[in-house]
């Protein structure tokens, strides 16, 4: 199982070459009263902003600007808390791992269900996508516990890349909202189809990755 403090973090992400220096720069300039716990709280508050913003899009698409602001603030709080702890050498590996990923689950729920409460994605499709995303998260945590490897990205896409993609999609919706509100199949809008495809794909990746790792571990006799 291994010590959490010795877990190997794999984060070869597309925007990592920009994100890592930015986080170090921010960590070096945070005032003393900004602690990792404060940053975690900021990330949670931003998740609530995202949820509320998506829900309010039923009144106006302009609330997507609040959603995008929430994603930026969420990145700031969620990505910087661990970096700041390591920079100040005040890491609490077990507490940090536990709280970070508990908060991540809450943020994932608020974001995806929030989208499901907007006029752009059906709630049942959003719930289906949430199950797929949580399955992927479960695989990450199981692999971390068994192999001591914490992989937070698939391919070269991690949480930061996903935030950027969603923000770009939100901007596209704001500019071309009529397209995203029209039915492209009976009872389904464009993002309903996208959500179904993503949910199925995440479920398939979960099954495939779980099978691959299980076979390898069986061959190794572990």
């Amino acid at each position: 199982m291994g010590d959490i403090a010795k877990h190997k973090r794999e984060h070869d992400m597309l925007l990592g070459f920009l994100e890592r220096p930015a986080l170090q720069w921010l960590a070096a300039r945070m005032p003393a009263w900004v602690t990792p716990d404060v940053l975690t709280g900021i990330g949670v508050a931003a998740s609530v902003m995202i949820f509320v913003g998506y829900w309010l899009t039923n009144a106006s698409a302009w609330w997507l600007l609040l959603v995008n602001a929430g994603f930026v603030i969420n990145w700031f709080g969620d990505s910087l808390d661990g970096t700041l702890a390591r920079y100040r050498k005040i890491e609490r590996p077990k507490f940090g791992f536990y709280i970070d990923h508990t908060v991540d689950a809450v943020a994932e729920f608020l974001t995806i269900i929030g989208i499901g409460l907007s006029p752009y994605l059906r709630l049942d499709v959003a719930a289906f996508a949430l199950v797929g995303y949580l399955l992927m998260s479960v695989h990450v945590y199981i692999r971390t516990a068994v192999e001591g490897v914490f992989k937070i990205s698939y391919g070269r896409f991690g949480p930061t890349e996903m935030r950027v993609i969603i923000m770009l999609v939100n901007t596209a919706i704001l500019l071309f909202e009529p397209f995203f509100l029209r039915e492209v199949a009976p009872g389904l809008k464009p993002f309903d189809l996208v959500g179904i495809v993503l949910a199925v794909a995440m479920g398939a990746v979960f099954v495939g990755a779980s099978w691959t790792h299980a076979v390898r571990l069986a061959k190794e006799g572990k």
Side-chain angles (χ1 to χ4, degrees):
M1 294 297 179
D3 185 350
I4 288 177
K6 297 179 181 178
H7 285 167
K8 177 183 177 183
R9 293 172 62 90
E10 292 186 357
H11 43 68
D12 182 24
M13 294 178 288
L14 190 63
L15 297 176
F17 74 102
L18 294 173
E19 182 180 36
R20 286 189 289 272
L23 290 173
Q24 289 297 324
W25 186 89
L26 288 168
R29 288 160 177 78
M30 286 296 104
W33 64 268
V34 177
T35 65
D37 291 345
V38 168
L39 290 169
T40 299
I42 289 173
V44 173
S47 297
V48 175
M49 280 178 60
I50 293 168
F51 177 85
V52 172
Y54 273 126
W55 177 58
L56 290 173
T57 56
N58 289 282
S60 171
W62 288 103
W63 285 105
L64 288 170
L65 296 177
L66 177 66
V67 174
N68 281 358
F71 277 115
V72 173
I73 298 171
N74 178 262
W75 171 83
F76 174 80
D78 182 57
S79 300
L80 187 57
D81 55 3
T83 301
L84 184 64
R86 289 187 289 273
Y87 179 82
R88 293 181 178 173
K89 302 187 185 306
I90 54 172
E91 302 100 320
R92 292 170 292 175
K94 291 183 178 180
F95 175 81
F97 187 89
Y98 182 83
I99 292 298
D100 189 36
H101 300 298
T102 300
V103 167
D104 283 347
V106 173
E108 291 155 9
F109 172 83
L110 290 173
T111 298
I112 298 175
I113 296 302
I115 298 173
L117 293 175
S118 77
Y120 314 113
L121 183 69
R122 283 173 35 172
L123 183 57
D124 55 348
V125 175
F128 188 31
L130 177 61
V131 170
Y133 193 94
L134 291 177
L135 283 174
M136 297 283 284
S137 298
V138 167
H139 181 264
V140 170
Y141 304 146
I142 292 174
R143 186 183 175 195
T144 301
V146 172
E147 300 180 342
V149 176
F150 180 54
K151 184 177 176 63
I152 61 175
S153 62
Y154 282 86
R156 298 195 65 189
F157 288 84
T160 299
E161 287 74 15
M162 292 307 300
R163 290 185 186 98
V164 171
I165 290 171
I166 296 173
M167 289 171 66
L168 290 173
V169 169
N170 287 341
T171 303
I173 293 174
L174 189 58
L175 295 174
F176 308 105
E177 186 183 29
F179 170 78
F180 294 99
L181 290 177
R182 72 179 184 181
E183 288 192 0
V184 293
L188 297 173
K189 298 171 186 173
F191 278 120
D192 294 325
L193 296 179
V194 172
I196 291 170
V197 170
L198 286 176
V200 171
M202 287 187 288
V205 170
F206 170 78
V207 172
S210 298
W211 176 261
T212 299
H213 284 84
V215 169
R216 180 175 58 78
L217 291 171
K219 288 181 178 179
E220 294 174 353
K222 295 182 179 179

